[in-house]
Amino acid sequence: CRSAVRAARASPGISSPGMALPPENVGWAYAKHPDVPPKAVDIFELQPQAMPEVKEGMILAKTLAVVVAPHTRAFLKLPGNDVGAEAIGLQRTEIGECVPCEVVAEVVESKSKRWEVGDRLLSFAPLVQYQTFDIDGKQGPGQGRATKLWGSGPPEAHLNTSAGITAHVVINHHPCGMVTGPGEGGCLSGCLSFLRPRPQKTVLVTSAAGAVGVQAGQLYKLKGCRVIGVTSTRAKAALLSDYGFDAAIAYKEEDMDARLAELAPEGVDVFFDNVGSWQLDVGSKHMKVGGRIVQVGCASEIDNYATGNITGWKEYHRMAARELMVGGFLLTRHMSKIPAAVLSLMLLAKRGKLKDAQTVVRGGWDKFTECVDRLHSGDGFGRLVLVFEDQSDEAMARDRAMGRASSLRYEETWC
């Protein structure tokens, strides 16, 4: 798929110390425009791929785990998502191309002096079993980017920090996601803040049990906010209390409008929206004058991308009536802020201030589409990660032991 797998090897067999690669390669490709209602098995197809050639300065890596996220379907080229995001770095997936995903992979062959066999990497790359990365930059653009991972642990453990990057950048840098106003938070303001105590801010987070939402709620709590989450069921709402949320609304079992009126009678200061559509409408009705809405995702519209019949935001007239500040966010425009965000998130996790939230599923490559449908059904909590169980028995036993010693939520059953 794409440049990662277009060049076939002259000899498909590759040898590395203690490891032999099969002569086959596979990848999940976007094969068909979705029907309504869409099913992942009808959209994606597991296709054979050529084994890529490893040139000088490159590494060959085997995918160990993948994040199953909403963008898996949201990034497909469809009538309803022709929004011009290519201008800030978001490329939609074309028919025949492999699905871009966040993956953890392990180096199985290296022609780079900086990487060794056995090193692990994190990348946003096509979902193929084997692919190359131009580590030394000798092969020109389009050969993939990889970040070397340090430390031990199961593959999914490396995906914990990345789940909070979007939330961290929005909350600390986006004018509509920050809880401080223009001019607040400067050096002098911080020194004299005791002279003018600020009231506690109320924050609303939709898709609060999702990968980004659960991290956003925790980060807002660390800033002293009162945080209300919106999720699908009371079972998930109960789990959110373990992550510091002050209250949670189960929209499938409760009236979101009525509950929000009870929980935030004076209104909402900041609305961190991951859903859009009717939940954006309900949240807009409860905003304070001068409140802020940051639109990070629109999960409720993904099924509508196939037809282009977008539900949209019907309560937009409140933007003028209450002088709301409304803005959107896409991480591809803020790549320079990622290193600082990662460092901050790692320190918070190490100090016990930030809890992981993952549902980890183990299975073969054929389980990917089941996990995509599961994600969009709302089943699971936090980030959904598929770990490919085609490693050696010894490696799997070691990874499982390390995983049980961590705070990850595991599911030993198939997806």
Side-chain angles (χ1 to χ4, degrees):
C1 298
R2 293 181 177 171
S3 58
V5 291
R6 280 175 184 158
R9 294 181 61 83
S11 174
I14 304 174
S15 298
S16 302
M19 187 179 302
L21 297 185
E24 292 129 12
N25 192 16
V26 293
W28 277 102
Y30 176 26
K32 180 190 171 191
H33 286 148
D35 297 321
V36 180
K39 290 185 178 180
V41 70
D42 298 326
I43 304 171
F44 305 111
E45 185 176 274
L46 186 61
Q47 299 177 348
Q49 306 292 329
M51 190 67 76
E53 180 181 359
V54 186
K55 299 179 181 178
E56 191 64 30
M58 300 177 74
I59 59 171
L60 180 70
K62 178 183 179 180
T63 301
L64 303 180
V66 58
V67 174
V68 183
H71 64 244
T72 305
R73 277 182 44 207
F75 286 5
L76 303 180
K77 189 171 184 180
L78 292 166
N81 65 355
D82 185 11
V83 293
E86 288 84 355
I88 54 175
L90 175 61
Q91 301 299 320
R92 294 185 296 164
T93 307
E94 304 266 1
I95 290 281
E97 292 182 337
C98 282
V99 185
C101 294
E102 189 176 355
V103 301
V104 168
E106 184 169 292
V107 178
V108 294
E109 182 180 358
S110 177
K111 291 188 178 180
S112 167
K113 295 179 180 179
R114 297 187 290 157
W115 289 62
E116 298 178 354
V117 170
D119 285 344
R120 286 186 175 180
L121 63 88
L122 177 70
S123 182
F124 190 76
L127 183 54
V128 293
Q129 190 170 21
Y130 296 96
Q131 61 188 301
T132 53
F133 296 89
D134 183 16
I135 297 301
D136 295 347
K138 294 184 177 181
Q139 307 303 324
Q143 294 298 317
R145 297 179 180 178
T147 300
K148 184 180 287 190
L149 298 171
W150 304 96
S152 58
E156 60 272 21
H158 297 294
L159 295 166
N160 295 337
T161 301
S162 62
I165 291 175
T166 291
H168 189 281
V169 175
V170 169
I171 292 168
N172 288 282
H173 300 285
H174 197 287
C176 295
M178 298 168 64
V179 291
T180 54
E184 298 178 14
C187 179
L188 184 60
S189 174
C191 293
L192 301 178
S193 60
F194 67 93
L195 296 175
R196 185 168 56 89
R198 296 188 181 91
Q200 185 183 46
K201 299 292 180 71
T202 298
V203 176
L204 177 66
V205 180
T206 51
S207 189
V212 175
V214 74
Q215 300 297 324
Q218 293 180 85
L219 292 172
Y220 277 121
K221 284 300 296 179
L222 290 173
K223 291 185 176 292
C225 300
R226 181 170 183 269
V227 182
I228 301 169
V230 181
T231 186
S232 56
T233 65
R234 286 194 175 95
K236 285 188 180 182
L239 283 174
L240 288 176
S241 65
D242 296 335
Y243 287 81
F245 283 74
D246 296 282
I249 301 169
Y251 70 84
K252 287 186 177 180
E253 303 173 35
E254 302 176 279
D255 184 325
M256 179 179 166
D257 193 6
R259 284 286 288 141
L260 196 51
E262 295 172 9
L263 295 170
E266 296 183 3
V268 172
D269 294 284
V270 176
F271 182 4
F272 189 107
D273 180 42
N274 294 294
V275 175
S277 187
W278 70 270
Q279 290 191 28
L280 176 58
D281 287 335
V282 173
S284 300
K285 291 171 62 178
H286 295 269
M287 297 301 297
K288 290 182 180 179
V289 172
R292 310 176 191 187
I293 301 175
V294 58
Q295 218 271 321
V296 180
C298 47
S300 67
E301 300 283 14
I302 291 178
D303 285 355
N304 300 328
Y305 287 167
T307 62
N309 297 324
I310 304 300
T311 302
W313 182 25
K314 293 183 171 62
E315 297 289 334
Y316 69 89
H317 58 290
R318 298 178 187 271
M319 182 166 48
R322 297 187 185 176
E323 291 194 346
L324 302 178
M325 183 185 296
V326 182
F329 176 84
L330 193 62
L331 187 60
T332 52
R333 198 182 178 203
H334 305 269
M335 304 301 284
S336 63
K337 296 181 175 67
I338 290 179
V342 170
L343 178 60
S344 176
L345 291 165
M346 289 177 64
L347 291 173
L348 288 171
K350 189 173 182 63
R351 292 168 55 200
K353 302 290 186 180
L354 201 61
K355 293 175 64 176
D356 302 328
Q358 285 189 345
T359 298
V360 180
V361 179
R362 299 179 181 277
W365 277 75
D366 60 321
K367 298 297 178 182
F368 173 70
T369 50
E370 293 180 30
C371 288
V372 172
D373 286 338
R374 176 178 178 174
L375 174 76
H376 289 283
S377 73
D379 186 17
F381 186 86
R383 175 164 276 197
L384 178 58
V385 177
L386 172 61
V387 179
F388 298 112
E389 286 205 322
D390 56 354
Q391 309 172 60
S392 68
D393 293 339
E394 181 181 351
M396 285 193 293
R398 181 190 67 239
D399 286 347
R400 283 175 183 266
M402 289 179 175
R404 290 194 183 98
S406 73
S407 60
L408 301 180
R409 176 175 174 239
Y410 275 81
E411 296 193 359
E412 299 299 332
T413 55
W414 297 117
C415 174

